[in-house]
Every structure is written in C-alpha cells, then in structure tokens.
Amino acid sequence: MITIFSIRFRIAAWYFLSAAPILIALAVGSWIAMRASMYQGIDEELFRKSLGVEQYFQARGDNAIPELQKELTNGPELPLGGGLFQIYDAQGKLLFESPAIARHNLRIAPRLMPGEKPVYRDSAPSGTRVRLGARGIQINQSIFTIQVAEPLRSFDESLTDFGQLLCISIPVLLLLLAAAGFWLSGRAMSPVEQINREARAIGADNLTARLSVPKPRDELQTLSLTLNAMLERIELSVNRLTQFTADASHELRAPLTLIQTAAEYTLRRERTQEELLDALRKILRETNRTSALVDRLLELARADSGTNQLRLTSIDLTSLLNEIAVSAKPLARKKHIKFKAQLQPNPIYILGEDASLRELFVILVDNAIKYTPKMGTVTLKLSQEPTFAVIELIDTGIGIAQENLPHIFDRFWRADKVRSREIGGTGLGLSIAKWIAEQCNGSITVTSTLEVGSNFTVHLPLINSK
Ligand code: ADP
C-alpha cells in the first residue's frame, strides 16, 4: 500500500526536492547567461554601426555635417548607423541626429574622447526601449561623440520567450524526475513486499520456513540472509525450549509417580507404625529430590532469561576452596574415598560471585565423589597460570566414554539415567556449572577415561591479568 509515509513516496519526494533547487539555479543561470550574450551581440553591432558613421565622417571631413543635412532633405532615411545615430561636438552640443532617432527623444550622450572606452546603456525616454552606444572620434582637429542606437524590442521578446520556456519546462522536468523516482523505487522495493508477505506467513507452527533470498547481491539479499539467520536462531532456541520443557516434565513425573504410588500403596490397608514411617521416608526422599530438581530448573530458567546475571566481586579462591575441601572430606570419608586438597598457601584473586562459585565446585566435588567407587581418590587442585587460576578435580572413578564427552554439559544428559537417579542426580549439575564458569568469564573442560577416572578443569581469569 502506498501512503505518504511509504519509502516509494518519500524517494519520489526527495527526487523532486533535491532536483528543484538545482534545476531552478540552472534555469536562472542560463537566463542570465543568455541575456549577457545577447547584450554582447547588440553592443558589438552598435560598435560596428558607429564605425560606419566614423568612416563616413573621415571620408567627408569638415563637409560631413552639411552633407548629412543635405542627404537628409533629399533622401527619405539614411542607412548610415542603421538610421539611428547622433553626432555631438566636443562641448556636448548636438550637431546632427537622424530623423528616426529624433522620434526617440534621447538624452544627450556622454562626452567621450577618442580612444576612450565606448559607453553602452539602455534607455527608454519615449517608452520604447533602445540600447545606446557612444564613442569618441577625432576628425582632422575636431573631436566628436557618435551615439548609435538599436531598438530592444526583439531582444526583449526573445528573452521573455526564453524565460517562459524555462518556467514551463522546469516544473515539467521536475514532475518527470519525481515520476521516475517513484517508478525506480517501486522496482527496487518490490522484493521488500515479497519479504513482507513471506515473513507474515512464518509463525510458531512453521518455524522451519525461510524467506526466499533475492538473487542480486544487494542490501535486500543481505536483509533476507540476516532474517533467515535470525529465524534459524529462533528455531533453535524454541526447539531447545520445547526439549527442555519436555525433559523437565519427564524428570518431574518420575518422582511424583513414586510419591503417589508410595502414598496409595500405604493407604490401601492398615499399616504398622514401622511401615508408615518407611513410606514417609520414601516420600520425603522423593520430595527432596523433586525440590532440588525444581531449584535447578528455576536456576536454569533464570539463567536463560538473562535475569540471573551474577554480581562479580573480587574472590579469594584459596580460602573458598579450602572451605569446600573441609566440607567435602566427611562426604568422601563416608564413601571410603580419599580426598586430597592441593591448594596454594597464598590467596589467588579472581572475579566471581561467592555463592555461585561455591555451587560450581560443590557440583564438581559431588560428582567426583558420586562417580568414584570405594577406596578411590578425589583430588582438588588449585594452581596459577600467568593469566588464569586453574582449578582441577581429579577422580579415580568410573570415567566417561569418549563418545559421551561432547554431551556431558548438556541439560538432563546422564551416562546412566537409572544409576544417576539412584544416587540423587538430576542431570543438570554440569550445565549449571558451565553457565557459572562462563558468567565469571572462565571455562570448564573435561578429560576422562572409562574405568580410570575423570579430570574436570576450570579456568578463571585472574584479577588484573589483562
Ligand atoms: P547428575 O546430577 O546426573 O550428576 P550432572 O550434570 O552433574 O548430572 O552430570 C551429568 C552426567 O555426567 C552424570 O550423570 C554422569 O553420567 C556424568 N558425570 C559427571 N561427573 C562425572 C564424573 N566425575 N565421573 C564420571 N561421570 C561423571
């Protein structure tokens, strides 16, 4: 639809507005140039005529004036000087004027000396515009001023005609230009309409659809490619979201079913105190697990929405990891696992958020203890590289198969779902750990060998290490 806000209309208006001053300036300029060149032509003609009068005087010498008078009385009109000329003496007295010029009742010519620059001017004493040219000449010892004249009627008419031509052709030209702009922009914008139509047809139900890309390598092709790339990203995140919701519901359903089954089974008949307590313990265990899962889901949802940005402050990793090691030792001991902490004596400062960093290392330590059998060893190491603090969690546990390593940080991914659930895993720990490390401008990597053990390494940039 074309409105006054449409790009087509605006381009046409811009064509019109930007061409208008240029064309008007061109028209005024050419009118002035035309006028100047016509004046130049007339002045040259006047000079030529004054030369004719001068030659007449040179040929006749002192008899020139009387002869002129005589010729005038005999002949009808003189061809001399185009019939329009006057002769003044050195004192500015009119010696002679042709009858045709007498009708114009002209003012006296300026007194000019021979060799002086001729003087040209417009005059219209009797209403008819004429151009006058005056020149000083010397004949024998006497000095005269010759004044010749040329009517300006046809000159004025030509100039008016030319002006009228410009006044009509400039607006017509401007309208043609605007129309051309309108047409050209219409052609250029036609792919936009197509992009519009196709984009309108894309919704949540057909996110796989893409816009067709125009062939010419222009801005519209770039726009279509950009929009397609955006659709790709939207599709990906919608798919991820759908997958996440499906996985989350699935994960929540299992403990809820267990709780429901336990309650229903217990209520089926009279139970002893011991049986009731057993059922309640089972229900409580599942409730705890569900609540941990919901906490993690919430945490991930906030991370995804971007509202859970960490407030980074300076943190001393040495003392934080010392505290983690202290609380990990009893857990490891309970499972008959040896826990070794190889930390630095000096503080190591990084930018992070205390609670989140604790969560990250608790996830890694928990996993290491969870997936390491009795008599194994878990080592927590802290070392320093030129620009990074390096934290390693090395265990002698069950390890992770090479083909599973790329999935280890995916949400809900677990090498062994049943086993992980049995030991209280949600499949979300490592994805949260990765998110925290990245929020602190760091990274987390893993190397592992099945039945040998795993090594999780966290790199966090040291403060002032840039
Ligand atoms: P979970 O709650 O199941 O432990 P995580 O996201 O923390 O979830 O870990 C994902 C999966 O990665 C685990 O289920 C387990 O299969 C594997 N994994 C994590 N840490 C270790 C480890 N130290 N040794 C062996 N496997 C591990």
Side-chain angles (χ1 to χ4, degrees):
M1 195 180 59
I2 296 162
T3 65
I4 57 164
F5 301 110
S6 75
I7 292 183
R8 277 191 83 176
F9 186 88
R10 278 187 291 165
I11 289 178
W14 273 113
Y15 259 70
F16 187 89
L17 290 176
S18 53
I22 299 171
L23 284 180
I24 289 170
L26 213 72
V28 172
S30 58
W31 187 86
I32 291 172
M34 171 96 166
R35 187 169 172 269
S37 106
M38 282 170 87
Y39 263 126
Q40 194 187 353
I42 291 174
D43 292 350
E44 276 167 10
E45 181 63 18
L46 286 173
F47 186 78
R48 217 175 39 73
K49 284 177 177 175
S50 75
L51 277 182
V53 177
E54 184 184 352
Q55 278 161 9
Y56 183 92
F57 264 63
Q58 295 283 15
R60 287 167 179 74
D62 293 342
N63 293 332
I65 303 287
E67 265 192 43
L68 269 175
Q69 301 283 13
K70 204 161 80 200
E71 276 189 41
L72 192 68
T73 37
N74 293 343
E77 284 289 323
L78 276 173
L80 200 56
L84 293 168
F85 72 98
Q86 295 170 320
I87 313 285
Y88 296 87
D89 67 9
Q91 283 69 45
K93 188 171 148 246
L94 181 65
L95 297 178
F96 177 80
E97 69 177 340
S98 63
I101 207 167
R103 284 201 292 275
H104 288 290
N105 187 24
L106 291 176
R107 277 189 287 120
I108 191 162
R111 261 177 287 162
L112 295 171
M113 297 305 285
E116 239 182 290
K117 216 173 147 235
V119 171
Y120 300 99
R121 62 194 162 93
D122 290 352
S123 178
S126 57
T128 313
R129 269 168 44 80
V130 288
R131 180 82 169 159
L132 297 171
R135 211 158 61 80
I137 59 166
Q138 183 172 6
I139 305 231
N140 299 332
Q141 296 310 311
S142 314
I143 286 166
F144 303 96
T145 300
I146 305 172
Q147 177 158 264
V148 280
E150 178 80 29
L152 284 175
R153 191 192 304 139
S154 69
F155 165 87
D156 284 343
E157 275 171 10
S158 308
L159 214 55
T160 311
D161 286 351
F162 183 58
Q164 277 170 353
L165 183 74
L166 289 176
C167 285
I168 294 168
S169 58
I170 295 297
V172 170
L173 215 64
L174 276 173
L175 285 176
L176 283 176
L177 266 175
F182 193 70
W183 181 74
L184 280 174
S185 51
R187 271 185 64 118
M189 298 302 286
S190 67
V192 174
E193 195 37 53
Q194 192 185 340
I195 292 174
N196 242 333
R197 231 178 323 155
E198 290 179 0
R200 262 197 297 267
I202 297 176
D205 50 338
N206 63 339
L207 268 179
T208 44
R210 293 291 177 270
L211 304 171
S212 44
V213 179
K215 282 213 173 63
R217 292 161 151 262
D218 55 11
E219 292 84 345
L220 292 177
Q221 191 193 55
T222 317
L223 176 72
S224 312
L225 290 172
T226 310
L227 288 175
N228 279 345
M230 187 182 79
L231 283 170
E232 191 86 43
R233 289 196 298 276
I234 293 176
E235 188 194 346
L236 240 149
S237 61
V238 168
N239 285 349
R240 257 213 331 255
L241 214 73
T242 317
Q243 185 63 43
F244 182 68
T245 317
D247 287 346
S249 334
H250 183 78
E251 292 297 326
L252 283 169
R253 211 179 49 204
L256 286 178
T257 313
L258 274 174
I259 292 169
Q260 194 182 7
T261 320
E264 279 171 0
Y265 176 77
T266 316
L267 288 174
R268 226 177 261 168
R269 59 178 169 82
E270 281 281 308
R271 298 283 175 192
T272 62
Q273 173 90 358
E274 194 48 38
E275 282 173 329
L276 281 175
L277 285 176
D278 235 25
L280 277 177
R281 269 187 222 110
K282 211 174 190 178
I283 289 173
L284 185 66
R285 199 174 56 239
E286 287 308 318
T287 317
N288 284 340
R289 196 171 286 170
T290 314
S291 128
L293 177 64
V294 169
D295 282 349
R296 295 222 147 146
L297 285 176
L298 268 176
E299 198 172 344
L300 280 171
R302 272 195 238 115
D304 285 348
S305 69
T307 52
N308 205 17
Q309 296 293 320
L310 301 190
R311 267 186 221 103
L312 306 186
T313 53
S314 163
I315 304 275
D316 172 16
L317 269 184
T318 309
S319 70
L320 188 142
L321 290 178
N322 256 317
E323 287 170 34
I324 297 279
V326 168
S327 52
K329 271 181 185 148
L331 280 178
R333 209 176 304 126
K334 226 160 112 189
K335 262 196 82 180
H336 305 286
I337 290 171
K338 194 168 169 200
F339 190 91
K340 289 199 273 181
Q342 297 174 357
L343 305 174
Q344 301 276 320
N346 52 313
I348 293 179
Y349 289 100
I350 55 111
L351 267 188
E353 193 192 66
D354 191 80
S356 301
L357 282 174
R358 273 174 207 279
E359 188 178 2
L360 189 167
F361 296 121
V362 164
I363 289 170
L364 295 184
V365 169
D366 263 4
N367 278 352
I369 295 174
K370 261 189 325 195
Y371 300 108
T372 301
K374 266 186 191 169
M375 313 314 290
T377 312
V378 172
T379 314
L380 172 64
K381 257 192 192 173
L382 170 63
S383 57
Q384 205 173 336
E385 280 181 4
T387 54
F388 285 97
V390 184
I391 306 99
E392 284 173 277
L393 252 150
I394 308 153
D395 65 53
T396 57
I398 59 170
I400 304 155
Q402 286 303 308
E403 68 268 23
N404 290 337
L405 283 178
H407 308 291
I408 200 92
F409 297 102
D410 291 351
R411 292 170 185 189
F412 298 111
W413 189 90
R414 285 168 285 191
D416 182 341
K417 277 201 182 233
V418 181
R419 180 177 181 164
S420 164
R421 253 192 66 72
E422 274 169 6
I423 50 180
T426 60
L428 294 175
L430 284 181
S431 51
I432 291 176
K434 183 169 184 258
W435 179 80
I436 295 172
E438 283 168 359
Q439 283 288 303
C440 299
N441 302 310
S443 63
I444 177 165
T445 49
V446 58
T447 54
S448 187
T449 312
L450 263 184
E451 311 298 340
V452 175
S454 311
N455 185 346
F456 284 85
T457 310
V458 180
H459 279 85
L460 294 170
L462 292 169
I463 286 182
N464 297 331
S465 63
K466 275 177 193 155

Coordinates of all heavy atoms in Angstrom, one line a residue, residues 363 367-368 370-371 395 398-400 408 413-416 420 425-431 454 456, ligand 1:
I363 N 29.2 -28.9 42.9 CA 28.7 -29.8 41.8 C 29.8 -30.7 41.4 O 29.6 -31.9 41.3 CB 28.2 -29.0 40.6 CG1 26.8 -28.3 41.0 CG2 28.0 -29.8 39.4 CD1 26.4 -27.3 40.0
N367 N 30.0 -34.7 42.2 CA 30.0 -35.7 41.1 C 31.2 -36.6 41.3 O 31.1 -37.8 41.1 CB 30.2 -34.9 39.7 CG 28.8 -34.5 39.2 OD1 27.8 -34.9 39.8 ND2 28.8 -33.7 38.1
A368 N 32.4 -36.0 41.6 CA 33.6 -36.8 41.7 C 33.4 -37.8 42.8 O 33.8 -39.0 42.6 CB 34.8 -35.9 42.1
K370 N 30.4 -38.9 43.9 CA 29.3 -39.8 43.4 C 29.8 -40.9 42.5 O 29.4 -42.0 42.6 CB 28.3 -39.0 42.7 CG 27.1 -38.6 43.6 CD 25.9 -38.0 42.9 CE 26.2 -37.1 41.7 NZ 25.0 -36.2 41.3
Y371 N 30.6 -40.5 41.5 CA 31.0 -41.4 40.5 C 32.4 -42.1 40.7 O 33.0 -42.6 39.8 CB 31.0 -40.7 39.1 CG 29.6 -40.2 38.8 CD1 29.3 -38.8 38.8 CD2 28.5 -41.1 38.5 CE1 28.0 -38.4 38.6 CE2 27.3 -40.6 38.3 CZ 27.0 -39.3 38.3 OH 25.7 -38.8 38.1
D395 N 39.5 -37.4 39.7 CA 39.0 -38.6 40.4 C 39.5 -39.9 39.8 O 39.9 -39.9 38.6 CB 37.5 -38.5 40.6 CG 36.7 -38.7 39.3 OD1 37.0 -39.7 38.5 OD2 35.9 -37.8 39.0
I398 N 34.6 -43.9 37.7 CA 34.1 -44.8 36.6 C 34.5 -44.2 35.3 O 34.5 -44.9 34.3 CB 32.6 -45.0 36.7 CG1 31.8 -43.7 36.6 CG2 32.2 -45.8 37.9 CD1 30.4 -43.8 36.4
G399 N 34.8 -42.9 35.2 CA 35.2 -42.3 33.9 C 34.0 -42.1 33.0 O 32.9 -42.5 33.3
I400 N 34.3 -41.4 31.9 CA 33.2 -41.1 30.9 C 33.7 -41.6 29.5 O 34.9 -41.3 29.2 CB 32.9 -39.6 30.9 CG1 32.5 -39.1 32.3 CG2 31.8 -39.3 29.9 CD1 32.8 -37.6 32.5
I408 N 28.4 -34.1 27.9 CA 28.5 -34.0 29.3 C 27.9 -32.8 30.0 O 27.3 -32.8 31.0 CB 30.0 -34.2 29.8 CG1 30.1 -34.7 31.2 CG2 30.8 -33.1 29.6 CD1 30.1 -36.2 31.3
W413 N 21.5 -34.6 30.5 CA 22.2 -35.7 30.0 C 22.9 -36.4 31.1 O 23.5 -35.9 32.0 CB 23.3 -35.2 29.0 CG 23.9 -36.4 28.2 CD1 23.5 -36.9 27.1 CD2 25.0 -37.1 28.7 NE1 24.3 -38.0 26.8 CE2 25.2 -38.2 27.8 CE3 25.9 -37.1 29.8 CZ2 26.2 -39.1 27.9 CZ3 26.8 -38.0 29.9 CH2 27.0 -39.0 29.0
R414 N 22.7 -37.7 31.1 CA 23.4 -38.6 32.1 C 23.8 -39.9 31.4 O 23.1 -40.4 30.5 CB 22.4 -39.0 33.2 CG 22.2 -37.8 34.1 CD 21.0 -38.0 35.0 NE 19.7 -37.8 34.3 CZ 18.6 -37.7 34.9 NH1 18.5 -37.8 36.2 NH2 17.5 -37.6 34.2
A415 N 25.0 -40.3 31.7 CA 25.5 -41.5 31.0 C 24.6 -42.7 31.4 O 24.3 -43.5 30.5 CB 27.0 -41.8 31.5
D416 N 24.2 -42.7 32.6 CA 23.4 -43.8 33.1 C 22.2 -43.2 33.9 O 22.4 -42.9 35.1 CB 24.2 -44.8 33.9 CG 23.4 -46.0 34.4 OD1 22.2 -45.9 34.4 OD2 24.1 -47.0 34.7
S420 N 22.2 -42.6 37.9 CA 22.3 -41.2 38.4 C 21.1 -40.9 39.3 O 21.3 -40.2 40.3 CB 22.3 -40.3 37.1 OG 22.0 -39.0 37.5
G425 N 21.1 -37.8 41.3 CA 21.5 -36.9 40.2 C 20.3 -36.3 39.5 O 19.2 -37.0 39.4
T426 N 20.4 -35.1 39.0 CA 19.3 -34.5 38.2 C 19.7 -34.4 36.7 O 18.8 -34.1 35.9 CB 19.0 -33.1 38.7 OG1 20.2 -32.3 38.6 CG2 18.5 -33.1 40.2
G427 N 21.0 -34.5 36.4 CA 21.4 -34.3 35.0 C 21.5 -32.8 34.7 O 21.7 -32.5 33.5
L428 N 21.4 -32.0 35.7 CA 21.5 -30.5 35.4 C 22.8 -29.9 36.0 O 23.1 -28.8 35.7 CB 20.3 -29.8 36.0 CG 18.9 -30.2 35.3 CD1 17.8 -29.5 36.1 CD2 18.9 -29.8 33.9
G429 N 23.4 -30.6 36.9 CA 24.6 -30.1 37.6 C 25.6 -29.4 36.7 O 26.0 -28.3 36.9
L430 N 26.1 -30.2 35.7 CA 27.2 -29.8 34.9 C 26.8 -28.6 34.0 O 27.6 -27.7 33.7 CB 27.8 -30.9 34.1 CG 28.7 -31.9 34.9 CD1 29.3 -33.0 34.0 CD2 29.8 -31.2 35.6
S431 N 25.5 -28.6 33.6 CA 25.1 -27.5 32.7 C 25.1 -26.2 33.5 O 25.4 -25.1 33.0 CB 23.8 -27.7 32.0 OG 22.8 -28.1 32.9
S454 N 38.2 -39.2 35.8 CA 37.9 -38.0 35.1 C 38.7 -36.8 35.7 O 39.1 -36.8 36.9 CB 36.4 -37.7 35.2 OG 35.7 -38.8 34.9
F456 N 38.1 -32.8 35.7 CA 37.4 -31.5 35.3 C 38.3 -30.3 35.6 O 38.8 -30.2 36.7 CB 36.1 -31.4 36.1 CG 35.0 -32.4 35.6 CD1 35.0 -33.7 36.0 CD2 34.1 -31.9 34.7 CE1 34.0 -34.5 35.5 CE2 33.1 -32.8 34.2 CZ 33.1 -34.1 34.6
Ligands
ADP1 P1 24.0 -35.6 37.6 O1 23.1 -34.9 38.5 O2 23.4 -36.8 36.9 O3 25.3 -35.9 38.2 P2 25.5 -33.8 36.0 O4 25.1 -32.8 35.1 O5 26.2 -33.3 37.2 O6 24.2 -34.6 36.4 O7 26.4 -34.8 35.3 C1 25.9 -35.3 34.1 C2 26.4 -36.7 33.9 O8 27.8 -36.7 33.6 C3 26.3 -37.7 35.0 O9 25.0 -38.3 35.1 C4 27.4 -38.7 34.8 O10 26.9 -39.7 33.9 C5 28.5 -37.9 34.2 N1 29.5 -37.4 35.1 C6 29.6 -36.2 35.7 N2 30.7 -36.1 36.5 C7 31.3 -37.3 36.4 C8 32.5 -37.9 37.0 N3 33.2 -37.2 37.8 N4 32.8 -39.1 36.6 C9 32.0 -39.9 35.8 N5 30.9 -39.4 35.2 C10 30.5 -38.1 35.5

